[in-house]
Amino acid sequence: MTPLPRWADVVLLPLLNVVLAFLVGGLIVLAVGQNPLQAVGIMLYGAFGYGSGFGYTLYYTTDFIFAGLAVSLAYHAGLFNIGPEGQAYVGGLGVILIGLALNGTHWAIVFPLMIICGGAFGALWAFVPGYLQAKRGSHVVITTILFNFIATSMMGFLISRVLKPAGVNSDESAPLEAITRVPQLRTFIELFKNSPVNLTFFLAIIALVFIYWLIWRTKFGYAVRALGQNPVAANYAGISNQKMIMIVMAMSGVLAAMVAVNNVGGVQGRLILNFVNGAGFVGIAVAFMGRGHPVGVGLSALLFGILYQGGQELAFQMPGITREMIVTIQALVILFTGAMGDMLRAPLARLLTRSEPATGAK
Amino acid sequence: MTSLHPTNAQRSEGTAAAPLAIELVGINKHFGPVHANRDIHLAIKRGTVHGIVGENGAGKSTLMSILYGFYTADSGEIRVNGTPATITDSRHALALGIGMVHQHFMLVDNFSVLENVVLGAEDSAFLAPTLNKARTQLKALARDYGLEVDPDAIIENLSVGQQQRVEILKALYRGAETLILDEPTGVLTPDEADHLFRILGKLREEGKTIILITHKLREIMAITDEVSVMRQGAMVKTLTTSETSPGELAELMVGRRVLLRVEKGPASPGKVLLDVQDLVVTDDFKVPRVKGVSFQVRAGEIVGIAGVAGNGQSELLESIAGMRDQLLGTIRLNGEVLSLEGDDGAARARTAGLAHVPEDRLRMGLVTTFSEWENSILGYQHSYGDGPGLDIAKARQTAEEYIKKFDIRPPNIDLKTANFSGGNQQKIVLAREMERNPDVLIVGQPTRGVDIGAIEFIHNQIIKMRDAGKAILLVSVELDEIRSLADRILVIFDGKIVGEADPATADETELGLLMTGSHASSDKTPGPGTLPAHETPVQQTLVKMSPQDLSGKDPN
């Protein structure tokens, strides 16, 4: 099988997968007697058409970028980290603890500390599976799944029994004061009124650039890729597989924990039960659709941001389309870009090579 | 003398002598711009062993894949027993009586022999009747062809040679009349290879047709009736084995005269650079493979370790290279003890002045998904750039230099390493390891799977390193390679050094006896159908047709 040219692999194939997902989704919309074109229109309007909608889209995108990068970085080292959900959740504990400890302090001081402290908690939650993989051979896929469950139970206990102030009914921690919270962009930009997008969005953009630099422009990234592509050759090259696995998993956890900075520090201002709400799992789809490349991760995170925000608009505007149907369409995108992402690879390769000898024969 | 098509006379002559089992007429196959098979004509007589030889990439495997139904030819015709056939897949090929034994076995490791044999050929939804039938048939096959394997043994507990027998049984159980064997001896010990050849002889006696793809000319000369030579996708010539010589075949394969005698002067050993004392090393399953080995390598000498594959050479090399922890003993590089704590000992070994050309370049020496320039710094990435950043410009410059110096083709540093040929991949590894100016160079199987043309170059580079005062440890299963390169030969058997020899005066028989575990094996009487021409199995092991032997026997 001749491999696809790079442009087809990076741009054309994901695009075709998305189109296919929307075609099938359109059929479902058609089946319940609604107009698919109108649905797409409403979705796009909801995602981009007005300021607060656009702000929400960017807010979701921020979450998905971090979760997607967390999965991508680990994947470059040959590790399948499916625990960003739990890592983000535990990261939230670090964010709220430092926030509450310095409650009332200006955000300019607390924001960096939230990144560090939240990151440290997320790192710890990912490091343990990394350690178990490196030293004990327990597969990270299994351990990170289990750590998601442990995180849910542990955080549930901590929030409802330890962090919940007396006299509060809902399961949440004490709130942060306004000055301590990560500022939302609507305080500077009128366009984003009523939307939660905050400074963490810029952190996500920085993270995209940083991860690109890290993976393709540093010695560390070289070692990560060597390990991911051929662990035996990495060992031959004197790269410590064990150390690298633990370091990469910890870094992956830091990235996942930034979801908590976005949500806990920037929006809720408190730690609420199950605040991650699946963003960590979406990160897996984002990473695969983006082929582990920061540009791809950024674009697919935006797509999922559109699906989330536009989908809510759609459920609101078209009563015939229920919330469940939105989830179905999102699931179709994940199915076609993630699980069946290589379905069109072989036919596409055939199509492209068939046209090639005609031009390159002479 | 090289004709692209066999003449009509040749072909009709063949038809007259014996009916044809397989006939390929005008086969063409393109992969994109690559013309992998050019107008191939091939006639294979029933009841013969037909060899196919050629360099890597000559199109042998493509041709056999077309015959076995993996690929469809762009044009041309396949005739099975005289009838034209369009073979669409391997099931179809089997139905036509064509079976294939792949270089890499297609067996389910945790199934029994019996289960593997019937896999995909079950008669009904219930297994018991099929298994009972297969059991009886296997017994008959074992009796007729000497294919003894315990039907209830689990595949993963069998030796490689036995697994190969299971593959042959699979094909025969499905009624194969023609067997294609792709490099069957690459993974076998000499003893197992002899056994395989006895089986092939039996199969021929019973009227089966065998197509043998190999690059070992010794095997061609020993077992085949006819041999076809391929070069650059074309069928160069088909010859009767008894009327040709290894020299002629080598020349046809490469397309020029091959002169591979290694030119080297006497060694002038200096101080000890590599000192191994009482080394004990285990494999991944904690089984000792190196059992108390001591030796020294001095500056300006090549020490060769001769032995049959699987006697601890791999573990020895990996331990010295810092990749495998030693159980006991010490390794000194330049007088410094090499610590193997942790799993990054290879980095410390490199810092101490060691360079390592690994036995298996694809598994260990290269990251094949990396581009060429990335592989040219593997293991040395720390010396590119001062901070955390990788100095890509400098790395690319290094790669350009190596490509020029080692004539790596194609000269494209951005090409994915997997797309280079085996010989050029080996040159990428050699350039990287030799150009770092190491004090000690350890080399495993430097020319395994490398084209005849590149072998010459690689040997000369190794000699050049020696003359520059490096200590070189060479491990090879090709005894002739060791004999022609090494200044001293150590023989390894069962993880121990069992003897030392001077290559200039070493007696081949004696070396061979040592390699195969002393004199015990010389008592073995060869069974029926053993390879002709040499008195003992040991001597057969030794008289591997090597380039050195070729030039001597070449009639020109």
Side-chain angles (χ1 to χ4, degrees):
Chain A
M1 179 58 57
T2 35
L4 285 176
R6 204 169 149 66
W7 62 269
D9 191 26
V10 178
V11 182
L12 191 59
L13 191 62
L15 211 63
L16 281 175
N17 286 329
V18 173
V19 170
L20 205 61
F22 273 101
L23 282 179
V24 177
L27 288 180
I28 292 175
V29 173
L30 210 58
V32 296
Q34 303 288 330
N35 181 350
L37 286 178
Q38 191 194 351
V40 170
I42 291 175
M43 205 178 225
L44 287 178
Y45 175 77
F48 295 114
Y50 56 98
S52 94
F54 185 45
Y56 264 101
T57 302
L58 291 185
Y59 162 69
Y60 290 126
T61 303
T62 308
D63 273 358
F64 300 152
I65 285 175
F66 284 125
L69 284 179
V71 177
S72 301
L73 177 64
Y75 199 72
H76 278 290
L79 298 163
F80 195 5
N81 175 17
I82 44 182
E85 186 80 10
Q87 290 144 20
Y89 204 178
V90 174
L93 185 63
V95 172
I96 200 69
L97 285 182
I98 192 78
L100 288 175
L102 300 173
N103 212 352
T105 315
H106 192 267
W107 61 267
I109 295 165
V110 182
F111 184 37
L113 290 174
M114 278 179 174
I115 295 169
I116 293 167
C117 195
F121 274 64
L124 178 76
W125 208 247
F127 171 81
V128 178
Y131 174 85
L132 292 173
Q133 165 87 69
K135 301 283 187 186
R136 294 273 171 267
S138 319
H139 206 287
V140 281
V141 168
I142 308 295
T143 44
T144 48
I145 290 177
L146 295 180
F147 266 63
N148 285 339
F149 287 114
I150 300 173
T152 307
S153 308
M154 184 187 77
M155 293 296 288
F157 171 80
L158 286 176
I159 292 171
S160 59
R161 298 291 170 80
V162 181
L163 292 171
K164 186 162 87 170
V168 176
N169 272 333
S170 54
D171 283 328
E172 58 183 49
S173 73
L176 300 178
E177 285 175 27
I179 191 163
T180 308
R181 298 185 185 190
V182 180
Q184 301 187 341
L185 297 189
R186 58 181 170 188
T187 50
F188 320 112
I189 305 167
E190 175 63 23
L191 175 73
F192 291 123
K193 61 175 185 288
N194 300 327
S195 79
V197 61
N198 57 70
L199 277 187
T200 321
F201 173 71
F202 296 110
L203 187 66
I205 301 299
I206 294 169
L208 285 174
V209 178
F210 174 76
I211 293 297
Y212 173 80
W213 175 78
L214 185 76
I215 290 177
W216 279 284
R217 292 283 183 268
T218 66
K219 297 171 188 173
F220 177 79
Y222 179 91
V224 167
R225 286 182 296 128
L227 175 66
Q229 311 274 357
N230 186 345
V232 181
N235 182 21
Y236 161 83
I239 296 162
S240 169
N241 290 15
Q242 297 183 356
K243 277 184 212 159
M244 290 299 292
I245 287 172
M246 292 187 280
I247 294 171
V248 168
M249 279 305 285
M251 290 178 72
S252 180
V254 172
L255 286 165
M258 295 304 111
V259 171
V261 175
N262 188 29
N263 185 296
V264 178
V267 183
Q268 309 290 350
R270 72 199 78 195
L271 189 63
I272 62 174
L273 214 57
N274 292 326
F275 74 86
V276 186
N277 197 21
F281 291 122
V282 174
I284 299 168
V286 167
F288 275 86
M289 193 180 160
R291 308 253 163 230
H293 194 286
V295 173
V297 168
L299 289 176
S300 53
L302 181 63
L303 174 73
F304 277 93
I306 294 167
L307 283 175
Y308 260 63
Q309 168 54 21
Q312 280 170 13
E313 182 86 10
L314 190 58
F316 184 69
Q317 296 280 338
M318 288 175 84
I321 295 180
T322 59
R323 179 83 201 120
E324 284 70 28
M325 212 163 294
I326 307 298
V327 176
T328 307
I329 293 172
Q330 287 165 0
L332 281 172
V333 173
I334 296 178
L335 185 70
F336 277 95
T337 58
M340 306 204 299
D342 286 332
M343 188 178 65
L344 291 172
R345 182 177 292 271
L348 199 62
R350 264 202 298 280
L351 201 72
L352 290 172
T353 44
R354 189 171 304 158
S355 54
E356 230 167 52
T359 54
K362 315 156 223 95
Chain B
M1 58 178 268
T2 62
S3 68
L4 281 176
H5 317 291
T7 62
N8 282 332
Q10 271 177 324
R11 264 192 282 164
S12 56
E13 197 181 77
T15 325
L20 295 180
I22 306 281
E23 194 179 6
L24 301 176
V25 186
I27 298 285
N28 272 293
K29 179 73 187 171
H30 294 263
F31 291 106
V34 180
H35 200 162
N37 280 161
R38 301 163 191 265
D39 194 26
I40 302 283
H41 292 264
L42 179 64
I44 293 165
K45 294 172 197 155
R46 189 175 305 151
T48 61
V49 178
H50 194 114
I52 296 181
V53 292
E55 292 192 284
N56 295 333
K60 300 170 295 199
S61 300
T62 306
L63 189 64
M64 288 305 116
S65 298
I66 289 171
L67 182 54
Y68 196 55
F70 277 141
Y71 301 133
T72 317
D74 298 341
S75 65
E77 190 176 83
I78 302 170
R79 291 186 200 142
V80 182
N81 296 323
T83 327
T86 315
I87 300 177
T88 49
D89 57 26
S90 56
R91 200 172 274 266
H92 188 186
L94 273 166
L96 291 167
I98 302 170
M100 183 150 180
V101 176
H102 296 271
Q103 196 173 358
H104 306 285
F105 305 144
M106 314 269 177
L107 297 170
V108 183
D109 274 352
N110 52 0
F111 273 22
S112 73
V113 169
L114 207 55
E115 287 167 327
N116 265 289
V117 167
V118 301
L119 184 66
E122 302 90 345
D123 297 325
S124 60
F126 295 103
L127 263 184
T130 312
L131 287 178
N132 287 335
K133 190 186 91 184
R135 193 180 291 276
T136 342
Q137 282 205 8
L138 282 196
K139 236 176 239 164
L141 289 171
R143 195 184 53 232
D144 293 349
Y145 303 113
L147 280 159
E148 291 99 357
V149 191
D150 173 12
D152 297 309
I154 304 298
I155 294 296
E156 59 193 0
N157 299 332
L158 296 181
S159 73
V160 179
Q162 288 172 315
Q163 292 188 11
Q164 190 172 52
R165 266 170 251 164
V166 178
E167 282 281 9
I168 297 173
L169 281 171
K170 262 170 71 178
L172 293 176
Y173 178 77
R174 287 159 173 74
E177 287 299 317
T178 302
L179 268 181
I180 306 167
L181 288 102
D182 187 1
E183 298 281 358
T185 58
V187 289
L188 300 185
T189 64
D191 258 7
E192 288 175 321
D194 281 351
H195 192 135
L196 173 69
F197 286 146
R198 280 200 291 278
I199 293 169
L200 294 185
K202 280 274 204 167
L203 288 167
R204 173 170 54 186
E205 277 171 35
E206 301 292 325
K208 307 277 186 197
T209 310
I210 290 154
I211 303 174
L212 181 68
I213 304 169
T214 180
H215 65 266
K216 293 183 185 161
L217 296 178
R218 176 188 80 108
E219 295 169 359
I220 292 291
M221 298 311 292
I223 188 89
T224 65
D225 301 300
E226 286 192 312
V227 52
S228 298
V229 184
M230 291 188 74
R231 188 173 73 227
Q232 290 167 3
M235 188 60 77
V236 177
K237 206 171 188 187
T238 298
L239 302 135
T240 306
T241 310
S242 56
E243 291 165 10
T244 184
S245 69
E248 187 186 0
L249 290 176
E251 194 178 324
L252 287 171
M253 276 163 68
V254 184
R256 63 177 164 88
R257 287 277 288 124
V258 189
L259 180 69
L260 280 171
R261 184 166 294 284
V262 180
E263 303 285 344
K264 65 165 188 168
S268 46
K271 62 176 178 141
V272 174
L273 290 181
L274 173 65
D275 185 5
V276 174
Q277 289 300 329
D278 305 318
L279 193 66
V280 178
V281 186
T282 63
D283 64 11
D284 295 338
F285 306 103
K286 305 287 170 211
V287 179
R289 292 292 177 185
V290 178
K291 304 167 180 174
V293 164
S294 302
F295 63 89
Q296 297 179 329
V297 186
R298 295 171 176 276
E301 72 167 347
I302 300 174
V303 173
I305 295 198
V308 176
N311 275 292
Q313 299 98 316
S314 307
E315 288 78 10
L316 177 66
L317 272 191
E318 287 173 22
S319 186
I320 295 172
M323 298 175 62
R324 196 177 277 283
D325 204 351
Q326 77 264 42
L327 205 64
L328 290 167
T330 49
I331 298 163
R332 282 194 180 81
L333 289 169
N334 261 332
E336 300 274 321
V337 176
L338 174 65
S339 147
L340 295 176
E341 282 294 303
D343 62 349
D344 52 358
R348 285 192 295 277
R350 278 199 181 80
T351 316
L354 178 126
H356 175 202
V357 177
E359 288 186 301
D360 187 341
R361 56 179 169 262
L362 290 182
R363 197 174 66 87
M364 196 179 284
L366 295 167
V367 181
T368 49
T369 45
F370 274 12
S371 51
E372 197 276 340
W373 73 263
E374 286 176 300
N375 268 309
S376 68
I377 62 166
L378 184 70
Y380 303 93
Q381 66 274 13
H382 294 294
S383 50
Y384 289 86
D386 300 324
L390 186 68
D391 190 342
I392 293 173
K394 189 176 155 199
R396 293 174 65 92
Q397 194 191 335
T398 304
E400 296 277 11
E401 274 170 34
Y402 292 172
I403 277 191
K404 224 173 274 162
K405 226 167 182 170
F406 280 71
D407 189 27
I408 297 165
R409 288 178 205 181
N412 177 0
I413 62 169
D414 289 310
L415 189 66
K416 207 164 91 172
T417 314
N419 296 338
F420 284 85
S421 73
N424 282 301
Q425 287 175 343
Q426 186 70 355
K427 282 184 181 177
I428 295 172
V429 177
L430 285 164
R432 181 182 72 208
E433 300 303 319
M434 288 179 160
E435 289 298 309
R436 301 290 159 171
N437 198 25
D439 297 320
V440 178
L441 177 69
I442 60 174
V443 188
Q445 320 296 353
T447 54
R448 175 186 277 173
V450 170
D451 296 346
I452 293 181
I455 291 178
E456 200 173 5
F457 174 84
I458 291 171
H459 283 175
N460 285 334
Q461 288 296 321
I462 293 175
I463 300 287
K464 233 198 243 168
M465 291 285 287
R466 180 201 72 168
D467 292 342
K470 315 297 182 192
I472 296 171
L473 179 68
L474 169 74
V475 168
S476 175
V477 290
E478 302 291 334
L479 192 55
D480 296 299
E481 182 164 59
I482 297 219
R483 281 174 63 88
S484 56
L485 283 177
D487 301 309
R488 273 197 300 142
I489 299 177
L490 302 174
V491 181
I492 193 168
F493 174 74
D494 191 28
K496 298 189 197 82
I497 302 285
V498 291
E500 178 168 347
D502 179 347
T505 59
D507 177 45
E508 286 199 340
T509 320
E510 193 192 328
L511 270 180
L513 288 174
L514 289 169
M515 279 169 63
T516 46
S518 84
H519 296 67
S521 59
S522 66
D523 298 335
K524 265 195 267 167
T525 42
T530 325
L531 290 174
H534 307 298
E535 296 81 34
T536 64
V538 171
Q539 266 182 305
Q540 290 165 13
T541 315
L542 290 170
V543 189
K544 286 193 174 164
M545 287 301 171
S546 76
Q548 285 72 38
D549 291 334
L550 297 185
S551 38
K553 286 187 189 168
D554 199 310
N556 305 322

